[in-house]
């Protein structure tokens, strides 16, 4: 059983994993590029190994150097964090070959879920609902795809890349006139991005939400879910805010239980071990469909940790050490509400353009119900080499209204000098009626939310949320807000806040 863990990542997630290691008495090793010499993860780990010069984006992808650092340091296990290394089967395999424990699923599970056509086939066989589309597990020719589109799938449909994810190599097609061209351009884009031009077809589901199920599985055959996360607040496939539970599922325990059970079934279909996430598309009628599985820890895992009280990274470590899950399905209880805002170095008033520079000064919010996962410090440089996340701000409370109020307070406390951030976006989003009512889907930010015209009557809205909390009996009042506000047909006819009181 390993005593020393190498964390093959940087930034807030490296720090998060180092903390989990220390919390159970494991020794820690960091790796870093020249650009990261002064980084927090390097200072927090007991030892650190330089693995190459800047520009460093790819230096963490150099498998050999990481294995070498593990051997030199005597680390018997490697945690990949999230990012590309975490879902590269070659890396999991290279660890295995070197006699090092990869803290994650088997290379086989990564490979199967990484190929969306294969995953779709496995899910269909396992009885997990997928969006109607092409059934064949094999690679269809253009002619076969066009035939399927016109005769079996129907329009509107989506052409999707087998190697896809994050919207790359995806084309919506609304008429048979466009199918040939759309297949060609999806293939070309997928080939350029992934070196794999295989595509498949699915019926287009409109107005859907993105809701995902957190899975934990040990090596003794115990697989459980930790409920759902709502991830529909995103812009161009970049998540901006996540919450647990989902306001759409709300008090529908039956739907929650059903989606959780299907999530468990999906993970079991590939003999999954470790922490993973099943992504679902959920339509307005509450039909849900398997989208893909993320075979790694996710950025938004903290909201689940807060609501379930389970330290997901600690469970990952325990599972990899050959221990049993500390809780079974009946022990999982969801308490309260948590929301995560991704604070990025981007200018929300300039189409979220990256904001490069040095964070000269930073004051992080704290206090009851506030958690900040970050690796920044005064003097931290935001470069184009790494992603633009500054921190994850996670706020929680007994109800959604309380979590929102706390988030408003924390965003106000937050001070960053030197770069533009997405904080103003989050403030306006939290003030919007649609967000407060919990009535939004994956199109909301891209198509219906405009930061430059968003109204922000902070004081009034805060007072209303406070009133909701004051009047609530357990969660009842907050649920009434959500329930009544879901009917948006008469929004033009009532006063802005009237509908919240009704
Ligand atoms: C879909 C869909 C509608 N219908 N599939 C986008 C990324 C990829 N992971 C799957 N995606 C979608 N697949 C069908 N059949 C809509 C999306 C989608 C989406 C999904 C999750 C989160 C945000 C999204 C934004 C736009 C489109």
């Amino acid at each position: 059983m390993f005593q020393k863990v190498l964390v093959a990542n940087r930034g807030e997630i490296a720090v998060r994993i180092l903390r989990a290691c220390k919390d159970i008495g494991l020794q820690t090793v960091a790796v870093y590029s020249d650009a990261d010499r002064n980084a927090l993860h390097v200072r927090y780990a007991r030892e650190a190994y330089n693995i190459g010069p800047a520009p460093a984006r790819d230096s963490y992808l150099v498998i050999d150097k990481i294995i070498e650092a593990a051997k030199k340091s005597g680390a018997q296990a490697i945690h990949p964090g999230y990012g590309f290394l975490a879902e590269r089967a070659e890396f999991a395999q290279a660890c295995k070959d070197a006699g090092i424990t990869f803290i994650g699923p088997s290379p086989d599970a990564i490979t199967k879920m990484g190929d969306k056509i294969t995953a779709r086939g496995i899910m269909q066989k396992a009885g997990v609902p997928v969006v109607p589309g092409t059934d064949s597990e094999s690679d269809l020719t253009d002619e076969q795809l066009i035939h399927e589109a016109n005769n079996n799938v129907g329009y509107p449909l989506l052409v999707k890349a087998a190697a896809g994810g994050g919207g790359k190599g995806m084309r919506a097609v609304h008429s048979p006139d466009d199918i040939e061209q759309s297949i060609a351009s999806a293939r070309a884009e997928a080939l350029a991005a992934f070196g794999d031009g295989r595509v498949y077809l699915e019926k287009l589901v409109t107005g859907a939400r993105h809701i995902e199920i957190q899975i934990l599985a040990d090596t003794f055959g115990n697989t459980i879910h930790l409920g759902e996360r709502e991830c529909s607040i995103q812009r161009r496939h970049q998540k901006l805010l996540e919450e647990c539970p989902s306001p759409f599922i709300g008090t529908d325990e039956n739907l929650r239980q059903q989606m959780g059970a299907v999530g468990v079934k999906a993970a079991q279909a590939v003999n999954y071990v470790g922490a993973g996430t099943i992504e679902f598309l959920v339509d307005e009628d509450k039909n849900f469909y398997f989208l893909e599985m993320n075979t790694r820890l996710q950025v938004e895992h903290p909201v689940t940790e807060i609501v379930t009280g389970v330290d997901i990274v600690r469970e990952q470590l325990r599972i990899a050490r050959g221990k049993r899950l500390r809780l079974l399905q009946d022990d999982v209880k969801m308490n309260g509400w948590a929301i995560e805002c991704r604070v990025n170095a981007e200018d929300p008033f300039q189409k979220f353009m990256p904001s490069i520079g040095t964070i000269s000064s930073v004051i992080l919010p704290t206090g009851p119900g506030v958690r900040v996962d970050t690796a920044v410090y005064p003097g931290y440089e935001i470069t184009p080499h790494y992603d633009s996340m500054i921190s994850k701000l996670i706020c929680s409370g007994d109800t959604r209204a309380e979590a929102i109020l706390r988030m408003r307070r924390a965003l106000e406390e937050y001070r960053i000098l030197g770069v533009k951030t997405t904080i103003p976006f989050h403030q306006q989003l939290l003030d919007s009626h649609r967000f407060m009512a919990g009535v939004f889907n994956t199109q909301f930010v891209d198509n219906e939310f405009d930061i430059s015209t968003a109204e922000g009557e902070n004081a009034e809205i805060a007072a209303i949320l406070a009133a909701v909390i004051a009047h609530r009996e357990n969660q009842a009042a907050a649920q009434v807000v959500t329930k009544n506000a879901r009917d948006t047909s008469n929004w033009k006819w009532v006063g802005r806040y009237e509908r919240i009181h009704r």
Side-chain angles (χ1 to χ4, degrees):
M1 201 192 303
F2 58 83
Q3 302 297 330
K4 198 173 198 178
V5 178
L6 182 146
V7 179
N9 217 305
R10 66 178 305 280
E12 62 83 23
I13 196 60
V15 167
R16 167 72 188 91
I17 295 161
L18 291 169
R19 286 178 173 145
C21 291
K22 292 180 183 192
D23 284 352
I24 58 172
L26 297 175
Q27 292 174 30
T28 51
V29 181
V31 288
Y32 65 98
S33 69
D34 296 345
D36 264 345
R37 197 168 294 281
N38 300 314
L40 226 48
H41 74 285
V42 174
R43 294 187 237 178
Y44 283 5
R46 219 170 121 142
E47 298 166 52
Y49 290 80
N50 182 294
I51 56 166
R57 187 202 290 270
D58 290 333
S59 65
Y60 295 99
L61 303 181
V62 178
I63 291 173
D64 291 346
K65 286 192 174 162
I66 290 169
I67 302 277
E68 192 189 311
K71 285 185 173 157
K72 247 192 251 170
S73 66
Q76 308 103 334
I78 295 182
H79 194 307
Y82 50 69
F84 259 153
L85 208 50
E87 293 189 279
R88 276 176 53 179
E90 313 96 276
F91 184 57
Q93 188 61 50
C95 291
K96 220 177 189 177
D97 294 345
I100 296 164
T101 303
F102 176 76
I103 301 171
S106 67
D108 178 64
I110 298 175
T111 302
K112 283 176 175 156
M113 288 302 190
D115 182 330
K116 311 302 176 226
I117 295 178
T118 304
R120 222 178 116 75
I122 293 171
M123 292 309 138
Q124 276 178 306
K125 280 202 196 90
V128 172
V130 298
V131 183
T134 45
D135 281 340
S136 171
E137 280 177 55
S138 66
D139 187 10
L140 298 183
T141 63
D142 286 10
E143 290 68 34
Q144 288 170 317
L145 287 166
I146 292 167
H147 178 86
E148 287 297 312
N150 293 334
N151 297 286
N152 292 323
V153 183
Y155 297 88
L157 59 74
L158 274 178
V159 184
K160 291 183 164 188
K168 274 224 182 84
M170 200 169 84
R171 293 285 181 284
V173 190
H174 295 271
S175 137
D177 300 342
D178 302 330
I179 186 69
E180 190 172 356
Q181 168 57 30
S182 296
I183 291 170
S185 67
R187 274 201 200 282
E189 190 174 310
L191 194 63
F194 314 113
D196 179 352
R198 291 174 303 132
V199 297
Y200 62 105
L201 307 178
E202 274 183 8
K203 195 114 188 113
L204 177 69
V205 181
T206 54
R209 292 184 172 240
H210 173 187
I211 300 175
E212 58 189 30
I213 301 289
Q214 176 69 53
I215 300 291
L216 285 177
D218 68 19
T219 52
F220 299 90
N222 300 303
T223 304
I224 64 169
H225 71 86
L226 300 180
E228 81 281 7
R229 290 187 288 263
E230 169 67 64
C231 301
S232 300
I233 299 292
Q234 53 89 45
R235 180 183 178 276
R236 300 187 174 183
H237 303 289
Q238 294 293 319
K239 289 171 189 163
L240 293 165
L241 176 151
E242 305 92 351
E243 42 188 323
C244 177
S246 160
F248 183 71
I249 295 182
T251 54
D252 191 341
E253 289 302 333
N254 188 39
L255 178 60
R256 175 169 294 117
Q257 189 276 329
Q258 264 189 57
M259 288 181 67
V262 170
V264 166
K265 194 154 72 170
Q268 285 172 332
V270 293
N271 298 314
Y272 198 81
V273 169
T277 299
I278 312 291
E279 291 187 3
F280 289 108
L281 213 48
V282 186
D283 73 15
E284 283 151 340
D285 300 324
K286 299 188 174 182
N287 299 306
F288 59 89
Y289 308 96
F290 172 86
L291 261 189
E292 50 195 75
M293 179 173 196
N294 299 313
T295 55
R296 54 170 158 81
L297 184 67
Q298 286 196 268
V299 175
E300 59 270 26
H301 75 276
V303 290
T304 300
E305 294 190 318
I306 288 171
V307 170
T308 61
V310 176
D311 182 330
I312 293 172
V313 184
R314 180 185 293 194
E315 289 308 311
Q316 285 188 299
L317 294 169
R318 286 177 48 87
I319 292 164
R321 300 183 94 209
K323 295 182 182 283
R324 284 174 190 277
L325 288 179
R326 286 195 301 181
L327 67 176
L328 296 179
Q329 195 61 59
D330 286 349
D331 305 319
V332 178
K333 297 278 179 285
M334 293 175 77
N335 276 311
W337 207 286
I339 300 176
E340 170 178 287
C341 287
R342 297 191 188 190
V343 176
N344 294 341
E346 294 166 4
D347 184 350
F349 297 100
Q350 303 292 332
K351 299 184 169 173
F352 291 78
M353 188 196 290
S355 180
I356 306 303
T358 298
I359 296 176
S360 53
S361 174
V362 51
I363 302 173
L364 297 172
T366 61
V370 178
R371 165 175 166 181
V372 184
D373 280 18
T374 187
V376 306
Y377 50 87
Y380 182 91
E381 259 185 86
I382 304 281
T383 74
H385 299 301
Y386 296 119
D387 84 29
S388 62
M389 193 153 68
I390 293 172
S391 77
K392 306 189 299 206
L393 172 56
I394 307 112
C395 291
S396 54
D398 289 345
T399 62
R400 188 166 188 265
E402 258 184 50
I404 292 174
L405 261 187
R406 283 227 165 97
M407 186 64 83
R408 293 165 51 91
R409 183 257 289 173
L411 289 166
E412 233 172 83
E413 286 181 19
Y414 214 134
R415 294 287 187 280
I416 299 179
L417 287 183
V419 293
K420 299 238 167 51
T421 77
T422 48
I423 288 174
F425 164 84
H426 288 298
Q427 289 177 313
Q428 300 233 19
L429 176 72
L430 262 57
D431 283 353
S432 77
H433 300 132
R434 290 279 299 277
F435 181 78
M436 269 196 285
V439 183
F440 50 78
N441 58 35
T442 58
Q443 306 306 303
F444 176 55
V445 175
D446 282 319
N447 299 344
E448 297 168 78
F449 182 81
D450 182 352
I451 190 174
S452 58
T453 59
E455 306 149 273
E457 296 179 33
N458 298 354
E460 197 175 348
I461 289 167
I464 290 158
L465 285 172
V468 168
I469 290 169
H471 286 257
R472 84 188 148 88
E473 292 180 9
N474 299 320
Q475 310 218 353
Q479 297 301 341
V480 168
V481 171
T482 309
K483 186 163 158 280
N484 288 348
R486 188 160 288 143
D487 176 11
T488 58
S489 55
N490 61 350
W491 279 23
K492 289 209 174 71
W493 302 98
V494 298
R496 281 185 62 188
Y497 304 118
E498 230 175 301
R499 72 169 173 279
I500 290 172
H501 290 301
R502 280 186 301 129

